[in-house]
């Protein structure tokens, strides 16, 4: 839904199961009208669409796409952003690090992403820009043998990203919408913080991309640089940046210094706790974290200590090291409802969301905002509301922050 002259708020439909199009469409029919009635009864309601590869192939068929467009029109809905990070199954299966598969070194990832952009171009309202969030190229822990290997992976992935950029430039030059690929850093991704994102952008994407676009389109160097900055932007997932202890002010300042943009804010919260040195006092906190130890998704933990951080690839590894006396705080990757500040003895990173939305309210830095609490199925039972109520409550809470 439109919240200012040039900004839009939605939720990501990756909260809904359904890995083929017919199953996911049934979920949309069940929940989207109820959410719209609750949060945007009299105005059009935007959807943040998540499609698996299989669903994207099925929706690409003319009859299916026409039916969906007619349903959107009848419901007073539209699509302006997509989540193109998870390629395969995302519910009722073990996802873990396979959420990065296939990664950006593969032709499969390129084809999937270009297909999503074609669908988005067909669905976007006239005059509106569109974005698709995607993975931070690959999973860092798959490439730990040496720095040379990691650099080769980054180079390969960058060349694949540029194939998508080429299509986005062609679409826009041909009179189609402006669309951007929104790179989403996360813990243990090849890019997990602003420093690594900027390193990639300034040392790989621009140096490889500028001559690539000059050759393809006869652009000047300045035109090619500006085109890349328009078509490749940052997906600011608030949970992910909170996990690596980065403030929004710091991230936005770095981006601004280099003229880089934020394509989308993904509004999400992690679980955190300060850990006392004494084990007797620490144990209830560790036991509370155990309640979030489930087998579907990665729940990376970044532990803060006096002289730096310890990265655990998943919650079980952190739990094994729970007695580590140098650790002062845990933050765990578990997208919890954004309106809840505490979970018994644990807290959330909701204050990071409040700060990001305050900055967006005072000086907007993106057009797209999307609540992303995809873990509803695996939340501890006492945190679950009925799904449509939970989604509506999250959207209402965000609107309150934006209107403060």
């Amino acid at each position: 839904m439109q919240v200012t002259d040039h900004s839009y708020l939605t939720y990501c439909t990756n909260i809904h199961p359904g890995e083929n199009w017919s199953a996911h469409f049934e979920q949309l029919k069940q929940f989207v009208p109820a959410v719209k009635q609750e949060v945007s009864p009299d105005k059009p309601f935007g959807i943040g669409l998540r499609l698996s590869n299989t669903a994207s192939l099925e929706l690409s068929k003319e009859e299916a796409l026409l039916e969906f467009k007619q349903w959107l029109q009848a419901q007073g809905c539209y699509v302006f952003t997509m989540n193109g990070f998870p390629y395969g199954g995302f519910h009722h299966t073990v996802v873990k690090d396979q959420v990065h598969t296939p990664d950006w070194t593969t032709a499969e990832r390129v084809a999937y992403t270009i297909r999503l952009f074609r669908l988005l171009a067909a669905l976007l309202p006239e005059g509106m820009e569109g974005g698709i969030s995607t993975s931070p190229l690959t999973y860092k822990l798959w490439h730990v043998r040496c720095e040379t290997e990691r650099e080769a992976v980054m180079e390969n992935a960058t060349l694949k990203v540029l194939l998508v950029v080429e299509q986005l430039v062609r679409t826009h030059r041909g009179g189609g919408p402006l669309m951007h690929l929104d790179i989403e850093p996360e813990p243990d991704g090849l890019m997990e913080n602003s420093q690594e994102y900027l390193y990639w952008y300034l040392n790989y994407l621009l140096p490889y991309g500028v001559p690539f676009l000059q050759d393809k389109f006869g652009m000047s160097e300045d035109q090619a640089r500006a085109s890349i900055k328009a078509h490749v932007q940052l997906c600011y997932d608030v949970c992910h940046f909170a996990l690596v202890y980065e403030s929004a002010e710091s991230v936005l300042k770095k981006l601004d210094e280099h003229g880089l943009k934020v394509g989308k804010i993904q509004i999400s919260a992690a679980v955190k706790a300060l850990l006392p040195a004494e084990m007797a006092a620490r144990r209830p906190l560790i036991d509370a974290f155990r309640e979030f130890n489930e087998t579907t998704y990665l729940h990376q933990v970044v532990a803060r200590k006096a002289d730096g951080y310890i990265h655990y690839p998943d919650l079980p590894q952190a739990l094994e090291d729970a007695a580590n006396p140098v650790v002062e705080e845990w933050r765990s990757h578990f997208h919890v409802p954004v309106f809840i500040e505490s979970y018994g003895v644990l807290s959330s990173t909701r204050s990071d969301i409040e700060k990001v939305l305050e900055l967006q309210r005072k000086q907007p830095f993106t057009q797209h905002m999307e609540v992303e609490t995809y873990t509803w199925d695996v939340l501890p039972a006492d945190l679950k509301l009925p799904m449509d109520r939970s989604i509506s409550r999250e959207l209402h809470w965000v609107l309150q922050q934006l209107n403060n």
Side-chain angles (χ1 to χ4, degrees):
M1 62 194 135
Q2 189 167 358
V3 292
T4 69
D5 287 345
H6 299 289
S7 65
Y8 303 84
L9 172 66
T10 185
Y11 78 97
C12 183
T13 67
N14 65 356
I15 193 173
H16 303 306
E19 301 309 322
N20 60 56
W21 172 241
S22 61
H24 196 65
F25 194 17
E26 286 304 312
Q27 288 283 306
L28 300 185
K29 292 175 182 176
Q30 180 179 350
F31 290 105
V32 168
V35 173
K36 180 187 184 300
Q37 181 60 35
E38 180 63 30
V39 299
S40 186
D42 302 319
K43 296 180 180 178
F45 180 70
I47 296 173
L49 189 63
R50 184 262 159 171
L51 299 174
S52 70
N53 181 63
T54 297
S56 72
L57 288 166
E58 294 167 347
L59 183 56
S60 295
K61 296 176 181 177
E62 185 176 351
E63 288 184 5
L65 184 58
L66 178 60
E67 180 188 15
F68 184 45
K69 292 172 76 170
Q70 290 173 340
W71 180 82
L72 288 170
Q73 184 175 14
Q75 297 298 323
C77 294
Y78 57 95
V79 174
F80 66 92
T81 185
M82 288 186 176
N83 185 336
F85 194 145
Y87 175 100
F90 200 59
H91 290 274
H92 311 308
T93 186
V94 177
V95 180
K96 295 295 183 181
D97 61 346
Q98 294 305 303
V99 71
H100 294 274
T101 301
D103 66 14
W104 273 101
T105 66
T106 68
E108 290 84 356
R109 175 62 67 171
V110 175
Y112 166 61
T113 306
I114 289 174
R115 188 183 313 117
L116 291 182
F117 272 115
R118 287 174 179 160
L119 288 168
L120 182 58
L123 294 169
L124 271 172
E126 187 173 352
M128 189 179 295
E129 72 175 50
I132 296 178
S133 51
T134 191
S135 82
L137 303 187
T138 188
Y139 187 55
K140 186 180 289 182
L141 300 186
W142 293 341
H143 310 286
V144 296
R145 286 183 296 180
C146 63
E147 189 61 30
T148 301
E149 178 194 18
R150 192 169 294 178
E151 290 175 357
V153 168
M154 191 166 283
E155 178 179 341
N156 184 4
T158 302
L159 295 174
K160 297 292 196 300
V161 167
L162 288 172
L163 296 177
V164 176
V165 173
E166 178 186 358
Q167 295 302 314
L168 298 181
V169 173
R170 290 191 187 281
T171 297
H172 193 44
R173 283 191 152 202
L178 171 64
M179 298 182 292
H180 37 84
L181 183 67
D182 301 331
I183 306 293
E184 182 182 341
E186 78 162 35
D188 295 330
L190 195 59
M191 292 174 274
E192 55 183 304
N193 53 46
S194 64
Q195 179 180 348
E196 292 179 349
Y197 176 75
L198 286 170
Y199 176 80
W200 170 71
Y201 210 111
L202 301 177
N203 293 281
Y204 286 87
L205 184 62
L206 288 176
Y208 286 76
V210 167
F212 177 81
L213 292 186
Q214 286 180 294
D215 178 62
K216 292 289 183 180
F217 298 101
M219 294 179 175
S220 69
E221 180 177 344
D222 287 346
Q223 288 173 329
R225 187 176 297 271
S227 188
I228 292 169
K229 290 181 178 182
H231 291 295
V232 182
Q233 303 189 23
L234 177 72
C235 174
Y236 191 112
D237 187 301
V238 185
C239 168
H240 297 173
F241 279 100
L243 285 168
V244 295
Y245 299 85
E246 280 204 82
S247 71
E249 295 97 329
S250 171
V251 174
L252 295 176
K253 183 174 184 294
K254 292 176 186 177
L255 294 177
D256 189 58
E257 288 171 354
H258 296 284
L260 303 183
K261 300 177 181 179
V262 175
K264 173 165 64 178
I265 304 170
Q266 279 187 329
I267 303 167
S268 54
V271 182
K272 68 176 183 177
L274 299 175
L275 299 183
E278 303 82 9
M279 273 307 299
R282 180 180 290 200
R283 192 167 292 111
L285 296 162
I286 300 303
D287 289 342
F289 272 106
R290 291 185 198 279
E291 295 296 313
F292 290 88
N293 185 25
E294 59 82 39
T295 59
T296 302
Y297 304 110
L298 274 180
H299 301 296
Q300 305 95 314
V301 175
V302 183
R304 180 177 56 82
K305 52 187 182 133
D307 59 349
Y309 304 95
I310 302 173
H311 288 240
Y312 302 100
D314 205 352
L315 192 50
Q317 289 83 3
L319 293 170
E320 290 174 5
D321 196 37
N324 190 330
V326 304
V327 169
E328 299 175 357
E329 181 179 358
W330 274 7
R331 296 187 178 189
S332 180
H333 183 205
F334 199 117
H335 287 215
V336 290
V338 300
F339 51 80
I340 301 178
E341 190 168 17
S342 62
Y343 305 88
V345 295
L346 303 181
S347 302
S348 83
T349 57
R350 192 180 83 172
S351 61
D352 289 72
I353 300 175
E354 292 169 344
K355 186 61 182 179
V356 168
L357 295 180
E358 178 189 347
L359 294 170
Q360 169 72 6
R361 184 179 73 248
K362 291 180 176 178
Q363 188 171 351
F365 56 89
T366 187
Q367 291 191 21
H368 296 172
M369 295 174 284
E370 176 184 65
V371 173
E372 194 205 18
T373 307
Y374 60 80
T375 54
W376 187 88
D377 277 346
V378 297
L379 283 172
D382 60 338
L383 297 182
K384 281 189 178 181
L385 292 172
M387 188 180 288
D388 56 338
R389 284 179 52 204
S390 184
I391 295 167
S392 298
R393 189 172 171 187
E394 289 192 292
L395 290 170
H396 275 304
W397 182 84
V398 173
L399 287 170
Q400 289 173 0
Q401 309 310 305
L402 292 170
N403 292 327
N404 279 345

